[in-house]
Amino acid sequence: MSRFIISSHSPNEEGNVVRVTPESAGWEYVGFEVYALTKGQTLRKETIDQEACLVLLKGKANIHTRHERWENIGLRMDVFEKIPPYSVYVPSNDVYEVQALTDLELAVCLAPGKGTYPARLIPPSEVGVEMRGAGNIERRIHNILPESKPADSLLVVEVFTPEGNWSSYPPHKHDQHNLPHESYLEETYYHQINPDHGFMVQRVYTDDRSIDETMVVKNGDVVLVPKGYHPVSAPPGYEGYYLNVMAGPVRTWKFRNDPDHEWVMESKLAAKQK
Ligand SMILES: O=C(O)C[C@@H](O)[C@H](O)C(=O)CO
């Protein structure tokens, strides 16, 4: 098993199915957790020195923080309905309590927080939707917490890769603190696959090939991207979903394409215009 793959496990007593901490990942900024809560179950956490973006992957919930409360939020009952999710942004030094009104799958995206912004609801209507690429590199993007929306560190996005297509393609990287050309962002991929017995292929590799791992990714796996390019491929018959969490010293997504392959995007877009 690759050192970059963290597999989900059955829910523990608090419903946690996967946990990545900066310490466990061997990096500095990004944390990520997923909870599978049964109807009526409650999860309560303090954010302490991290900000959080709670993404309702599927199901409905009541969520409250120290000063805010949102009742009966949640829309999709499966990520592959491909409708944007409800999310809740929670600053550091706050607390959140999630009460599952249905069986609920909840992603908790974490990064260092300074308490700059208050807790807020991010409804589906505020999630930017775009189609990126063309042909067999076209994919659907839901920008849940992009740099155009306020947070201290977190960037959160979800991506749908049609069967037989590639995403995160042409391969790009963001592992150098070299603004304005490139930003240093650690990144997690939380994968789901439809149908769920399928697999995805993800490669993580660096220019000097000191890292070059091609992984078979299963439903519920988390892939860590500490550095390097990180393209994803969906085999025929299998649609891919992943939730990305990114964070680093500066909250901006400035990436560099692999120069060997960046011609593919222009080629596909040109072919679409014909
Ligand atoms: O373009 C995509 O298919 C998604 C990727 O940009 C993904 O969100 C990522 O790797 C961000 O760095």
Side-chain angles (χ1 to χ4, degrees), residues 132 139 141 157 159 166-169 172 174 187 189 230 242 244 246 253 255:
R132 188 175 292 165
R139 62 274 194 185
I141 310 290
V157 58
V159 179
W166 288 68
S167 61
S168 297
Y169 198 89
H172 68 262
H174 35 71
E187 184 167 21
Y189 277 67
H230 38 279
Y242 50 79
N244 289 134
M246 291 179 273
W253 184 48
F255 59 86

Side-chain angles (χ1 to χ4, degrees), residues 1 15-16 18 38 48 55 57 60 66-67 75 83 100 104 130 137 144-145 152 193 207 209 212 216-217 263 269:
M1 171 79 81
N16 180 267
V18 71
T38 54
I48 309 176
V55 181
L57 296 170
K60 296 177 182 293
R66 190 164 284 132
H67 303 296
L75 202 55
I83 50 178
L104 176 70
E130 61 174 290
I137 62 169
I144 297 168
L145 189 52
D152 287 327
I193 299 165
D207 284 317
R209 304 298 190 268
D212 191 351
V216 173
V217 179
W263 65 270
L269 292 172

